Amino acid sequence: QVQVVESGGGWVQPGGSLRLSCAASGSISSIYFMGWYRQAPGKQRELVARISSAGTTNYARSVKGRFTISRDNAKKTVYLQMNSLLPEDTAVYYCNADLRTIATPRNDYWGQGTQVTVSS
């Protein structure tokens, strides 16, 4: 059984910073991509950033230069450092892990989501 658990959301004023963390656990044999998605009220879930096991990253255009994704493979953990936050960054942020376990083939696993609110 795989668990994906996020932490680090909260409220911040515009221009502020937050750091999200996400750890995957269970009988994991390989993690390919880990990433962050977000969903604002009334909108579809969208990719924010993701990172491969080799460290290759890609970002949504709206966050490039403000957010940084990083990963600790040994800890099966991914981070999202969010700087210069804007009100439009307000959303529920979901962690995604693209992995396979010792018993199941490659699949996507999602965390429960963490709320990020940017307002004055």
Side-chain angles (χ1 to χ4, degrees):
Q1 185 177 356
V2 174
Q3 284 192 315
V4 177
V5 180
E6 304 108 334
S7 61
W11 173 85
V12 66
Q13 290 186 331
S17 298
L18 281 176
R19 188 186 193 219
L20 305 182
S21 300
C22 169
S25 62
S27 301
I28 298 168
S29 56
S30 296
I31 303 179
Y32 302 98
F33 289 91
M34 297 188 80
W36 293 93
Y37 291 71
R38 67 187 181 187
Q39 188 166 19
K43 294 188 176 182
Q44 288 190 328
R45 190 174 296 189
E46 62 175 1
L47 173 70
V48 176
R50 72 172 190 166
I51 184 168
S52 73
S53 58
T56 302
T57 59
N58 61 290
Y59 295 90
R61 186 176 299 181
S62 60
V63 307
K64 198 171 287 189
R66 300 188 297 121
F67 292 10
T68 302
I69 189 169
S70 61
R71 175 172 171 169
D72 185 329
N73 289 331
K75 295 182 179 179
K76 299 184 180 64
T77 299
V78 65
Y79 307 95
L80 186 68
Q81 178 66 42
M82 304 186 292
N83 298 328
S84 303
L85 282 158
L86 304 169
E88 48 263 46
D89 294 317
T90 295
V92 177
Y93 283 69
Y94 295 92
C95 178
N96 171 268
D98 171 11
L99 59 85
R100 63 182 173 92
T101 73
I102 60 174
T104 59
R106 183 172 177 175
N107 205 348
D108 279 322
Y109 294 83
W110 294 89
Q112 78 286 355
T114 185
Q115 177 70 45
V116 171
T117 302
V118 185
S119 73
S120 53

